[in-house]
Amino acid sequence: MRIFGHHVPRKVLLLAGVEGLIIYGCLALALLVQADGSLVPGAVTMELLATALIALLSLSLLGLYEPDQLVAIQGWHLVVLRIAVGLLVALGIVAAYGLVAPAATLQNGTISIGLALASVGLVAERSLYRSVTAQEAFKHRLLVLGTGSRAAAVEHVHPDKRPEELPYKVLAYIAPVDDGHVDMCPSRVIHREEGQTLLDLMREHRAHELVVAVRDRRGNLPIRELLDCKLHGARITDISTFFERERQQLRLDSLNTSWLVFGSGFRQDRFRNTVKRSFDLTASSVLLLLTLPVILITALAIRLDSPGPVFYRQTRVGQGNEPFDIYKFRSMRQDAERDGVARWAQGDDDRITRVGRVIRKLRIDELPQVINVFKGEMSFVGPRPERPFFVEQLSEQIPYFLARHSIRPGITGWAQVRYAYGASVHDAREKLQYDLYYVKNHTLFLDIVILLETVKVVLFGRGAR
């Protein structure tokens, strides 16, 4: 389902809600056992809710609500470990608050018992969830209209998952009229008999959704039958919308310009821009205050590690294709581009210094970009700004590349937290698909989601190189 434009799987919301109730219930049970009759109901309720929310946030930062991890067959021990660590972190936060606010109603012993009970409840609930969702009866059932490469890609949207781990099941592929091109096993293709309609097939297969994946739609798209399905309550989804929902990206190989023009999203208005600018300034100010010690230590380490300046400025392309100078901590040798030729940064790049390798891994090299945010050249969240040389090169090779410049670039962004550092045209193409999703759907809610994802990247080094 969509929350302020961003696609959030219903199962994630349901699971978070159930686990929040489990944590709250276990805390309440522990409190009830130890109650002495002197508790204030209103204060207790608020503290229980706050503790449960802190626990949920800790679990989320440890990746327990990522759609790709919910039904993963591998790594069950890591799920149990993350639950334990997440609840311990929550206990530490609440205990630290108790030190500065001794008037708190809940005692550390009560919270410890409640979270211990919650850990057992969450492990049992996760085990039940995994076994239930793996059953065929709980799969989302799809029929796909089309037999070409677009249709075949439906079952490969999640390439890191086994077929049994997919959140949906493709029942069959329906061949369009006069289309003999088949990119999947012919036994899975339905060639309709005379008089057989799409609605008949959906009812016969008990399908929940029909995904339209026909590339050449002139003469091959049964509009009247699709409308009939829609009028009878069937869910009809365009292939581009399907990819957007499942991967939170706009797949370039499925995009039609008309879908971009007539579809929802890509809204720019004064209110949205004002909210985003206020968020940028607030988040950048908080980041600067929290990381000031890190900034000072990093500056000293760079100075001691290699000759050259602590900061460096480099021309990047911003909103409206306008160039600006970006500020970063220097992570490469001073003579990294002594020949004047721009190069992609590789994972094992020998131009990167010892300190540079660490600060790039933790994204510390990006911190000075708060200066660009205060100057209005960047946002806190947005597409990564590229150098003019690469923009010229990539805009010629990748369709819709310049669309990412319709908004300000960002210190962090959807592509940065979902994909590794770009080191080739292929990587730039993959990242653009996430950037386009952000440009289409960006809201304050999505910015907050990206901030939480950024924390996970810094903690676990995902996506950094």
Side-chain angles (χ1 to χ4, degrees):
M1 63 181 296
R2 282 182 178 267
I3 299 181
F4 300 110
H6 177 49
H7 289 276
V8 180
R10 287 187 177 88
K11 60 185 179 183
V12 171
L13 296 176
L14 178 61
L15 192 65
V18 170
E19 294 188 348
L21 290 174
I22 290 175
I23 296 170
Y24 182 89
C26 290
L27 289 168
L29 179 61
L31 182 64
L32 182 62
V33 171
Q34 296 189 330
D36 58 4
S38 61
L39 300 177
V40 181
V44 169
T45 300
M46 292 306 297
E47 289 186 29
L48 287 176
L49 283 173
T51 304
L53 288 175
I54 290 172
L56 281 179
L57 180 60
S58 299
L59 296 175
S60 176
L61 290 177
L62 289 170
L64 284 169
Y65 298 109
E66 294 180 8
D68 290 345
Q69 302 298 321
L70 295 185
V71 293
I73 293 175
Q74 304 296 329
W76 172 238
H77 64 288
L78 292 178
V79 173
V80 176
L81 179 61
R82 289 185 182 188
I83 289 174
V85 172
L87 295 181
L88 282 174
V89 170
L91 176 60
I93 293 173
V94 176
Y97 173 77
L99 293 176
V100 299
T105 304
L106 294 180
Q107 300 301 312
N108 289 340
T110 302
I111 297 172
S112 299
I113 295 173
L115 292 181
L117 291 173
S119 66
V120 176
L122 292 181
V123 170
E125 177 261 349
R126 284 275 174 152
S127 179
L128 177 63
Y129 175 86
R130 288 156 63 92
S131 62
V132 168
T133 54
Q135 300 299 316
E136 198 73 25
F138 289 90
K139 296 283 188 180
H140 190 66
R141 299 167 63 86
L142 302 180
L143 281 174
V144 180
L145 179 60
T147 56
S149 58
R150 287 187 177 189
V154 169
E155 288 187 285
H156 301 286
V157 174
H158 304 279
D160 55 334
K161 287 187 177 182
R162 303 177 182 182
E164 60 268 26
E165 293 178 320
L166 290 174
Y168 54 84
K169 176 180 177 60
V170 177
L171 304 171
Y173 297 87
I174 304 172
V177 179
D178 299 328
D179 188 358
H181 187 72
V182 176
D183 281 332
M184 67 283 301
C185 179
S187 62
R188 302 192 63 194
V189 177
I190 297 176
H191 295 276
R192 289 187 288 165
E193 300 175 359
E194 185 176 354
Q196 191 176 36
T197 67
L198 293 177
L199 184 59
D200 293 335
L201 289 174
M202 292 198 71
R203 288 172 172 171
E204 178 184 341
H205 288 82
R206 304 192 312 280
H208 301 131
E209 185 176 7
L210 176 66
V211 178
V212 179
V214 180
R215 182 179 296 274
D216 184 9
R217 300 188 174 186
R218 295 184 178 180
N220 286 330
L221 200 61
I223 293 294
R224 291 183 179 274
E225 290 186 55
L226 291 173
L227 177 59
D228 189 39
C229 290
K230 187 82 171 181
L231 293 176
H232 283 82
R235 185 172 183 178
I236 311 298
T237 304
D238 182 82
I239 186 67
S240 298
T241 304
F242 176 80
F243 287 138
E244 179 187 8
R245 183 186 75 203
E246 292 296 321
R247 292 291 294 175
Q248 287 85 53
Q249 63 175 199
L250 302 190
R251 289 277 293 266
L252 294 176
D253 55 2
S254 71
L255 281 185
N256 295 312
T257 303
S258 60
W259 182 83
L260 295 173
V261 172
F262 296 109
S264 61
F266 298 105
R267 294 192 300 272
Q268 303 286 348
D269 54 65
R270 182 174 297 179
F271 176 76
R272 179 171 294 199
N273 292 335
T274 301
V275 170
K276 185 166 180 61
R277 182 61 179 158
S278 300
F279 173 81
D280 291 339
L281 294 175
T282 302
S284 297
S285 299
V286 171
L287 178 67
L288 186 60
L289 290 174
L290 293 178
T291 60
L292 187 57
V294 176
I295 291 173
L296 296 176
I297 293 172
T298 302
L300 178 61
I302 293 173
R303 176 67 71 180
L304 296 175
D305 181 54
S306 62
V310 171
F311 303 98
Y312 85 97
R313 296 164 60 180
Q314 190 178 71
T315 301
R316 298 291 178 98
V317 178
Q319 186 178 25
N321 299 318
E322 291 294 326
F324 70 99
D325 287 335
I326 196 174
Y327 299 90
K328 298 183 72 173
F329 278 123
R330 181 175 59 84
S331 60
M332 291 189 176
R333 301 191 313 266
Q334 189 175 7
D335 61 347
E337 292 183 352
R338 56 182 177 272
D339 57 1
V341 178
R343 298 182 182 87
W344 296 103
Q346 303 293 333
D348 57 351
D349 202 322
D350 60 3
R351 299 174 298 164
I352 302 176
T353 64
R354 290 174 298 177
V355 171
R357 201 168 300 279
V358 174
I359 64 176
R360 287 167 70 92
K361 185 74 173 177
L362 299 177
R363 303 294 175 94
I364 295 173
D365 61 322
E366 313 280 358
L367 290 178
Q369 292 172 34
V370 295
I371 299 172
N372 296 107
V373 177
F374 290 134
K375 293 174 65 177
E377 297 165 332
M378 293 179 64
S379 290
F380 197 89
V381 178
R384 179 181 174 84
E386 294 289 356
R387 301 171 66 175
F389 173 82
F390 292 129
V391 169
E392 182 179 354
Q393 179 188 50
L394 295 172
S395 61
E396 293 177 354
Q397 301 182 44
I398 304 176
Y400 308 112
F401 185 81
L402 294 181
R404 66 200 300 276
H405 297 151
S406 61
I407 61 175
R408 290 190 185 98
I411 298 176
T412 185
W414 193 234
Q416 287 95 303
V417 299
R418 302 286 287 190
Y419 198 79
Y421 268 142
S424 66
V425 175
H426 170 75
D427 288 340
R429 182 184 180 90
E430 291 296 316
K431 294 188 75 170
L432 175 63
Q433 297 179 135
Y434 291 109
D435 283 334
L436 289 176
Y437 176 88
Y438 179 78
V439 174
K440 180 177 183 290
N441 300 303
H442 74 89
T443 60
L444 178 60
F445 174 76
L446 182 53
D447 283 356
I448 294 173
V449 170
I450 292 172
L451 277 186
L452 295 177
E453 291 289 327
T454 303
V455 173
K456 285 191 276 188
V457 169
V458 173
L459 290 176
F460 304 112
R462 298 183 316 164
R465 219 174 34 202

